[in-house]
Amino acid sequence: MITTSHQQDTALFVAAFFDELTRWGVREVVVSPGSRSTALAMTAFELSQRRPDDLRLYVDVDERGASFLALGLAKASGSPVALVCTSGTALANYYPAVIEAETSRVPLIVLSGDRPPQLQGLGAPQTTDQLKAYGDHVRAFRAMPTPRGRDRDIAFARQAAREACLAALGPTATLEEVSCVAGGADMPVNYNPEAQVASRACQHLAGPVHLNFPFDAPLKPDFLGADNQAALRGGIDCFGLGRRVPTEGRHGAPLSIAPLMAASGELPASSVTALEELLWKRPAVLLAGEGSCETMAEAEEIVTWVRRWSIPVLADPLSGLRSIDDPLVIDNYDNLCGRPDCPVPEVVIRFGRYPISKRATTLLERARPLSIAVDVAETRDFNATTDVFVGTTPLGFVRSNWHGEGRKAQKAFAERWMTLNDEARLRILAVEWDGVTSLDAEAVEGAYVRSLLELMPDESCLFSANSMSIRALDTFYLKDGKTRAVLANRGQNGIDGVVSTAVGAAQHFGQTTFLTGDFTLLHDLNGLALQREMMLAHPEGEAPSLVIVLLNNNGGAIFDMLPQASEDPYFERLFLAPQDVRFTEAAAAFGIPSATVHTVGAFRSAYQNFLGTPGISLVEVQLPLRGVRDRYAPYQG
């Protein structure tokens, strides 16, 4: 009879759990240091050392920042990312990121260490009720048992890991690579089809899950003893115990098969016919928000479909579709929707979340066109206007067997949108001239944003903060054929942990630019401490580059564009709230190189100098606090 110690049982149980996580797509784990989570943290570290290609580990002492770091990693990769924390308030500090992951459909797996049942409710230190701590904000919760090392316990640990990954990824998700043909019959592909253009995973019903692990003392797992015990039971090591043997194929060779597969999601013929009837002689637009596509090839598939139907695409900056320079991609839709001569659709098809533009939603509320929501599970329709729900992904929708095409009236309707969009484009491009003529004088925000978009490398990432930053992108980001991934935390539109999220996303790109305001940077200033972690997590000389572009207006300038705006004393005290932070000095405290600029010329030089610099760097653009509405007015309308 094989007997095991408590510490060996812990190692066997948790090692099997982590091994199964990696088999089902988890490649990254973020650890917030603590005592009660020792077994989880040490097992993650041990696996990352034994099999660095299977698991990369990050450490962040700030739980709130750690959770947003994981959010950024998962948002960029589309794969579940594991989070490890100790008991007590540590778990509560993950709450904002869990809510953001729920709303934005980002796969997170929260693994919390906890006191064993016999210490609950008896005044034990660092102990609170962690069962279902996140309520309905997680896709699934599981109270794990105290670790044991028997075969049936190992099997359960692996099954719990599988179920966690399935719940985090959501229905219709898949770990398989999907290949597709990009470009039309007469249009050669002159870009990388697999290049990322938007957040991953949010097309599906991905989200956070929570598993709570009770651990009794002694807390440190015995991996060497667990390896020996696994060898006695036919395992390679403690991480391999209980792993299923690969299946043999027809001719006896090992059969390589992904653990998770999904259906294509294409619509049945009867549904396609009904939708084509709805489009008959009714002018239509496609409203494309975050969750429309993930890669250039997918963006091209959507644009190929709208070309067939002559349907204008009102493309949110997070949709990924502004990477396609096609006349039907309407990048100035926000400005156009506020004009009295804006063409009004009778049908609107929506992919993903509602776009950022309030003008677009106001137009649709007023016009009340027939509304078709395309999503795998939810309408996500806060306007309560959905007439038809199509239960598939945007790709499943456009890949269906369509027969019709845009008729004369639809083509004329599209022409009106394209003509107005071209006119609006000239208005936006005027900011570049304004920036050139003021290379030695102060310029407006748009001139800096246009320079950033021009200079950022192809196939790099642009992560945007909320408030004025994302609105600046919506206004000044024009389709130009450059492949760039544009990401943001728009689930809750908050400023929680955005620096850490940008750092997480940056781990999946060679070059990332983070566009932010001063409130957002100040709110997560601890995220700059991840400079050290970026260097440690990558081989020497291979750390990615993250350039923070700070549009510093020294306060909440966005409120100058909202109904709260006033000359009364309350407005500055409660809303503008100037902070007077010396950000370059703060950056220096974290070992981050920085520069402060006042002109477009100086910005271009500083930004280009920092591109490719390993780790984090900062370019601070100083702007006035008041007058933002007037600075935007010449380029909107």
Side-chain angles (χ1 to χ4, degrees), residues 532-553:
R532 181 175 184 272
E533 196 64 22
M534 285 182 70
M535 300 301 187
L536 288 175
H538 296 271
E540 187 174 352
E542 295 183 13
S545 172
L546 172 62
V547 181
I548 300 175
V549 174
L550 168 62
L551 301 181
N552 185 1
N553 50 45

Side-chain angles (χ1 to χ4, degrees), residues 266-273 276 305 308-309 396-404:
E266 294 181 14
L267 303 178
S270 58
S271 297
V272 172
T273 300
E276 289 184 340
W305 183 84
R308 172 176 181 164
W309 285 93
F397 185 87
V398 301
R399 288 173 178 172
S400 298
N401 190 20
W402 297 89
H403 302 289

Side-chain angles (χ1 to χ4, degrees), residues 44 74 137 173 225 306 364 432 479:
H137 293 295
V306 300
L364 297 178
E432 294 186 6
K479 58 189 179 186

Side-chain angles (χ1 to χ4, degrees), residues 89-305:
T89 60
L91 187 64
N93 284 312
Y94 284 174
Y95 218 125
V98 166
I99 294 174
E100 176 66 30
E102 174 204 15
T103 318
S104 292
R105 297 181 172 182
V106 178
L108 291 183
I109 300 177
V110 177
L111 310 175
S112 55
D114 198 1
R115 295 304 204 258
Q118 63 268 27
L119 294 181
Q120 297 290 337
L122 296 174
Q126 202 173 321
T127 303
T128 188
D129 184 1
Q130 298 181 188
L131 301 183
K132 296 191 175 181
Y134 300 123
D136 292 334
H137 293 295
V138 291
R139 302 280 188 245
F141 168 78
R142 185 178 296 276
M144 296 294 285
T146 303
R148 298 285 298 274
R150 298 170 300 182
D151 288 345
R152 65 183 181 184
D153 298 307
I154 299 301
F156 171 77
R158 290 187 177 276
Q159 189 62 35
R162 296 176 198 126
E163 297 292 341
C165 292
L166 283 170
L169 286 166
T172 78
T174 174
L175 297 180
E176 291 185 304
E177 293 293 329
V178 178
S179 60
C180 51
V181 179
D186 57 350
M187 185 170 142
V189 177
N190 55 4
Y191 54 80
N192 175 11
E194 297 306 317
Q196 188 171 345
V197 294
S199 174
R200 296 189 185 271
C202 59
Q203 290 185 41
H204 310 289
L205 197 61
V209 301
H210 175 206
L211 292 87
N212 194 60
F213 287 77
F215 291 110
D216 209 346
L219 298 173
K220 186 177 178 181
D222 176 8
F223 294 113
L224 179 59
D227 284 339
N228 292 333
Q229 293 291 343
L232 293 175
R233 287 189 251 172
I236 300 173
D237 57 19
C238 60
F239 290 95
L241 185 63
R243 189 187 304 157
R244 299 284 291 175
V245 177
T247 304
E248 288 187 357
R250 180 179 300 178
H251 302 293
L255 178 62
S256 177
I257 186 168
L260 183 60
M261 297 183 179
S264 65
E266 294 181 14
L267 303 178
S270 58
S271 297
V272 172
T273 300
L275 289 168
E276 289 184 340
E277 287 292 323
L278 287 178
L279 295 173
W280 182 265
K281 292 188 177 179
R282 292 185 179 92
V285 299
L286 173 61
L287 195 62
E290 183 185 41
S292 295
C293 63
E294 298 176 0
T295 65
M296 280 292 287
E298 293 174 357
E300 182 59 49
E301 281 194 79
I302 291 173
V303 172
T304 298
W305 183 84

Side-chain angles (χ1 to χ4, degrees), residues 1 29 33 135 151 217 277 303 307 409 418 422 449 456 473 476 596:
M1 179 177 178
V29 58
D151 288 345
E277 287 292 323
V303 172
R307 288 192 199 111
M418 291 187 290
D422 288 342
V449 173
M456 65 180 295
L473 275 187
F476 296 105
T596 299

Side-chain angles (χ1 to χ4, degrees), residues 39 110 225 233 244 250-251 269 274 288 314 358 425 467 480-481 500 509 517-518 551 562 599 628:
V110 177
R233 287 189 251 172
R244 299 284 291 175
R250 180 179 300 178
H251 302 293
L314 312 191
K358 289 185 177 179
R425 183 185 185 88
S467 299
D480 55 9
S500 299
F509 298 89
D518 49 290
L551 301 181
L562 299 178
T599 67
V628 65

Side-chain angles (χ1 to χ4, degrees), residues 251-386:
H251 302 293
L255 178 62
S256 177
I257 186 168
L260 183 60
M261 297 183 179
S264 65
E266 294 181 14
L267 303 178
S270 58
S271 297
V272 172
T273 300
L275 289 168
E276 289 184 340
E277 287 292 323
L278 287 178
L279 295 173
W280 182 265
K281 292 188 177 179
R282 292 185 179 92
V285 299
L286 173 61
L287 195 62
E290 183 185 41
S292 295
C293 63
E294 298 176 0
T295 65
M296 280 292 287
E298 293 174 357
E300 182 59 49
E301 281 194 79
I302 291 173
V303 172
T304 298
W305 183 84
V306 300
R307 288 192 199 111
R308 172 176 181 164
W309 285 93
S310 299
I311 294 179
V313 184
L314 312 191
D316 181 90
L318 302 179
S319 68
L321 292 170
R322 292 197 197 181
S323 289
I324 303 292
D325 189 3
D326 187 276
L328 283 168
V329 176
I330 309 300
D331 47 2
N332 295 293
Y333 75 107
D334 178 60
N335 287 341
L336 301 187
C337 287
R339 292 175 51 152
D341 58 346
C342 177
V344 179
E346 294 182 25
V347 176
V348 57
I349 303 166
R350 178 166 53 83
F351 289 174
R353 297 171 59 87
Y354 268 98
I356 294 160
S357 169
K358 289 185 177 179
R359 290 174 175 173
T361 54
T362 299
L363 171 67
L364 297 178
E365 283 179 324
R366 185 175 64 248
R368 190 55 177 92
L370 187 140
S371 177
I372 302 172
V374 179
D375 191 88
V376 293
E378 304 168 314
T379 66
R380 293 193 281 183
D381 185 3
F382 56 83
N383 287 321
T385 61
T386 301

